[in-house]
Amino acid sequence: MSAIVHLRSAVALIGRFPALAGVNLDVHAGEILLLRGPNGAGKTTLLGVCAGLIGLSTGEAVVLGEDLTRNRRAVRRRVGLLGHDSFLYQDLSVVENLDFWSRAAAATVADGRAALDRLGVASRLFELPVHSLSAGQRRRVSFAAMICRRPELWLLDEPHAGLDSAGRDLVDGLMSEAATSGATVLFASHELDRAEHVAHRSVTISGGVILDETPPSTETRADS
Amino acid sequence: MSQSGGVLSDALLVARKDLLLERRAKIGIGQVLPFAILVLLLFAFALDPDRGILKLATPGLFWVTVLFSAVLTLQRSFALEAEDGILEALRLSGMSPAGIYLGKVTALTIELLLLEAVLVLGVAVLYDTKFLGIPLLFAIALLATLGIAGAGAVYGALAARLRSRETLLPLLLLPLLAPVLIAATRGCEVSLEREAMSGWPWAALLGIFALVYLTLGSFLFRPLLEDA
């Protein structure tokens, strides 16, 4: 089975600092991989590299069959990134944001509305400007803007952050559904109890390198 | 796999979004326009004792006011894109960088033209100015504004992520727009019939400036977006 994400000796610099200092990683289709590690370990940079936003200084990176050392842009339309930032215009309403981002990704407005429904964003919030939403509501809208692109590779940075219990369950369900439907999920989290339950496999990253890998748990696989 | 809809549709999408943002936030109407009127008023107060100088200087004062207002509008337009990871989201969206650039230029041009329309009324009232060569004046305003927006969007993107963008953008942009200021001022002087010569060469010069920057910007916006 060919890897959806294939990194070898990947080095990425943020300024002069090696945020990734020689990462080797393979993630396969339909897999949910948890990235563990302390703050500043390189998790966000790794997600940025996979999204084609951050270039490598040295090493190999092939994502969704695209060689990122040659063309980082080719992969961008095919990935969905949920970062620390909301990726939303604060002065636009919820539906105005979803309409814009779904059209920008050549999806339809209906895709955007369906994504809002899927994320459980109440229709009474649709016309409100994003800046007036709570952090959890904003997170759901950001998630909706991501999934309306129908990405093949989900890159999630702390996807549970700011969400209530129901929202966290919803996110776990969406990740599992995505993997079942053939998408691949790579996510970073500090909430290990919850994250390890939904992940098929986890790796620990620290100081810009992968330290260890937890093989797929039989129990977790059975759940998924 | 998603495909973007082409340069034109991306440009329309971005222009519509920028105009919608302005409609929601009302920064143009609430802050930039009052600032521009205030500048016109201050010039009027400063030069009123000698009404003749005020009349002679009207075209220059008008375009200096437009340039200052344009810098504020540009800063606002690109500050929005630098917030909340929007630049990353735009890069991930698959939209054509040229489409994003042209969309921003379109929205900026419309916003600045509306501002200029109000300022023309302000100049007519405050400076007792009569506009005679309307077609030339309209052409000068349109081409100068396209040039300001075209060059401004390039430098706005360049400065977008810099911490010192508020001070850096005017420093970069205003010297670059000196030819626009000169040509637009001379063209307006003709349209006010202060000079006998035809004003259309000035309009042509403004057109060339706008064309050069629109072309450059369409090609440069991709690396600018990547490095922003």
Side-chain angles (χ1 to χ4, degrees):
Chain A
M1 185 167 54
S2 65
I4 294 297
V5 174
H6 172 79
L7 302 177
R8 285 293 174 274
S9 307
V11 175
L13 301 178
I14 303 295
R16 291 182 179 177
F17 178 74
L20 295 186
V23 166
N24 297 310
L25 181 67
D26 284 304
V27 189
H28 297 283
E31 198 172 21
I32 303 177
L33 179 80
L34 165 64
L35 290 172
R36 298 182 302 187
N39 293 330
K43 302 186 296 294
T44 301
T45 304
L46 180 55
L47 295 174
V49 165
C50 292
L53 291 175
I54 299 172
L56 288 188
S57 299
T58 59
E60 294 173 35
V62 180
V63 175
L64 293 166
E66 305 286 354
D67 184 349
L68 300 190
T69 57
R70 291 185 178 188
N71 184 7
R72 283 190 283 135
R73 293 191 299 272
V75 79
R76 290 179 186 163
R77 292 175 185 163
R78 301 168 64 189
V79 304
L81 176 66
L82 184 77
H84 292 294
D85 291 320
S86 72
F87 295 168
L88 300 171
Y89 289 101
Q90 299 297 311
D91 289 326
L92 293 186
S93 72
V94 169
V95 285
E96 286 164 349
N97 265 289
L98 260 289
D99 289 356
F100 175 74
W101 290 115
S102 54
R103 284 178 176 165
T108 64
V109 171
D111 289 331
R113 302 298 166 95
L116 285 173
D117 287 343
R118 187 70 191 85
L119 264 297
V121 179
S123 57
R124 65 186 169 79
L125 304 177
F126 281 10
E127 302 303 327
L128 292 181
V130 163
H131 67 71
S132 69
L133 301 180
S134 71
Q137 288 165 338
R138 265 203 297 273
R139 196 69 170 161
R140 286 178 187 240
V141 177
S142 296
F143 217 118
M146 190 209 83
I147 67 169
C148 76
R149 297 161 56 93
R150 301 187 182 178
E152 296 165 59
L153 174 62
W154 292 29
L155 302 165
L156 313 176
D157 203 352
E158 299 290 346
H160 302 106
L163 292 173
D164 56 19
S165 177
R168 292 169 184 216
D169 289 344
L170 183 64
V171 166
D172 290 349
L174 285 169
M175 284 197 278
S176 296
E177 272 178 38
T180 305
S181 65
T184 305
V185 181
L186 186 52
F187 76 109
S189 181
H190 291 295
E191 299 187 37
L192 297 182
D193 287 348
R194 175 176 284 276
E196 283 175 348
H197 180 73
V198 74
H200 297 159
R201 186 162 63 95
S202 67
V203 295
T204 304
I205 183 167
S206 184
V209 292
I210 303 280
L211 292 182
D212 63 51
E213 181 172 325
T214 307
S217 125
T218 311
E219 186 183 341
T220 309
R221 278 290 192 192
D223 288 348
S224 66
Chain B
M1 178 177 152
S2 301
Q3 295 291 334
S4 66
V7 173
L8 188 61
S9 60
D10 288 346
L12 289 173
L13 184 64
V14 170
R16 182 181 171 278
K17 178 266 300 173
D18 274 15
L19 293 173
L20 197 57
L21 274 166
E22 170 49 31
R23 214 173 101 191
R24 294 281 176 271
K26 296 182 174 58
I27 298 295
I29 290 176
Q31 292 176 25
V32 179
L33 182 60
F35 166 79
I37 292 171
L38 194 61
V39 172
L40 281 185
L41 269 173
L42 290 173
F43 279 136
F45 290 146
L47 300 174
D48 188 53
D50 190 341
R51 199 79 179 172
I53 290 179
L54 185 62
K55 280 202 152 193
L56 278 175
T58 295
L61 298 180
F62 174 84
W63 283 107
V64 165
T65 307
V66 169
L67 284 191
F68 288 162
S69 307
V71 169
L72 292 182
T73 307
L74 277 160
Q75 280 176 334
R76 158 77 180 165
S77 178
F78 282 92
L80 285 172
E81 308 296 357
E83 288 173 0
D84 293 298
I86 298 289
L87 282 174
E88 279 84 7
L90 287 173
R91 288 160 68 193
L92 284 170
S93 70
M95 283 195 291
S96 145
I100 297 171
Y101 168 74
L102 292 173
K104 294 204 78 68
V105 170
T106 304
L108 285 165
T109 302
I110 291 170
E111 288 174 34
L112 290 176
L113 282 173
L114 289 173
L115 176 87
E116 287 163 25
V118 177
L119 289 185
V120 163
L121 292 176
V123 163
V125 172
L126 294 170
Y127 299 177
D128 192 25
T129 305
K130 291 179 177 59
F131 298 95
L132 301 171
I134 298 297
L136 176 62
L137 189 69
F138 184 78
I140 295 276
L142 180 63
L143 294 169
T145 307
L146 265 176
I148 293 168
V154 171
Y155 283 86
L158 188 69
R161 278 260 186 87
L162 302 174
R163 285 184 186 174
S164 55
R165 63 173 174 259
E166 288 84 0
T167 45
L168 192 62
L169 183 62
L171 277 176
L172 290 172
L173 192 59
L174 290 176
L176 183 92
L177 291 177
V180 175
L181 177 69
I182 294 166
T185 301
R186 294 288 175 272
C188 279
E189 282 173 352
V190 174
S191 77
L192 299 178
E193 295 198 330
R194 298 236 172 83
E195 292 190 4
M197 61 175 281
S198 165
W200 290 102
W202 294 114
L205 187 64
L206 289 168
I208 292 167
F209 185 93
L211 190 64
V212 166
Y213 263 94
L214 289 175
T215 309
L216 271 178
S218 298
F219 288 105
L220 285 178
F221 212 67
R222 183 186 293 279
L224 287 175
L225 202 60
E226 291 296 319
D227 293 337

